[in-house]
Amino acid sequence: MSQQQICKYQSVNISTNLYVISQPWLYTLAWCAGAQSVTTNSIHILSSINKPLFLMTPGEYTLMWILTDFVSAFLIFAIFTFHWWRERGLPFVSGSRQTHENGPYSKFRT
């Protein structure tokens, strides 16, 4: 059941019982979705869980993916810049220009 379905049932005073929840991550998902009860074959595993294993608000989730996108874009830009720099044969430190006979990759002859 989706969270929207659970909320619809809850709004008309119908309780939901999800069957069979046997993994802690699935129990956490049901908990965060708002299920009133679950049926399990793994009571010895789920009885020790007092709170959701991992809870993230939608704002935190969005922020996490935006930051991941920015870090990825920066890394891609840095890698392309580094390769462009090597292709052009530009020095990393002024006065230390290294020239190769046939370009920057001439030492990798086969």
Side-chain angles (χ1 to χ4, degrees):
M1 291 182 76
S2 68
Q3 185 175 5
Q4 289 81 14
Q5 289 173 324
I6 292 173
C7 289
K8 274 185 191 177
Y9 287 135
Q10 203 170 30
S11 68
V12 292
N13 203 21
I14 299 173
S15 61
T16 54
N17 179 34
L18 301 181
Y19 177 83
V20 160
I21 304 291
S22 58
Q23 297 294 320
W25 70 269
L26 197 54
Y27 181 67
T28 297
L29 186 63
W31 187 334
C32 292
Q36 283 77 28
S37 63
V38 297
T39 301
T40 184
N41 294 331
S42 305
I43 190 68
H44 58 284
I45 296 172
L46 301 181
S47 63
S48 63
I49 299 176
N50 298 326
K51 60 181 180 176
L53 296 177
F54 186 72
L55 182 62
M56 184 182 288
T57 65
E60 291 171 340
Y61 180 79
T62 304
L63 179 64
M64 178 190 70
W65 280 111
I66 289 172
L67 290 176
T68 301
D69 290 342
F70 280 125
V71 168
S72 298
F74 173 77
L75 288 174
I76 290 169
F77 177 76
I79 290 169
F80 277 109
T81 302
F82 173 74
H83 284 288
W84 174 79
W85 196 290
R86 279 189 70 186
E87 283 289 325
R88 301 267 314 212
L90 299 174
F92 285 105
V93 180
S94 62
S96 68
R97 184 178 178 105
Q98 294 179 343
T99 57
H100 298 289
E101 297 158 3
N102 295 327
Y105 296 111
S106 63
K107 65 181 178 179
F108 298 114
R109 294 181 188 164
T110 56

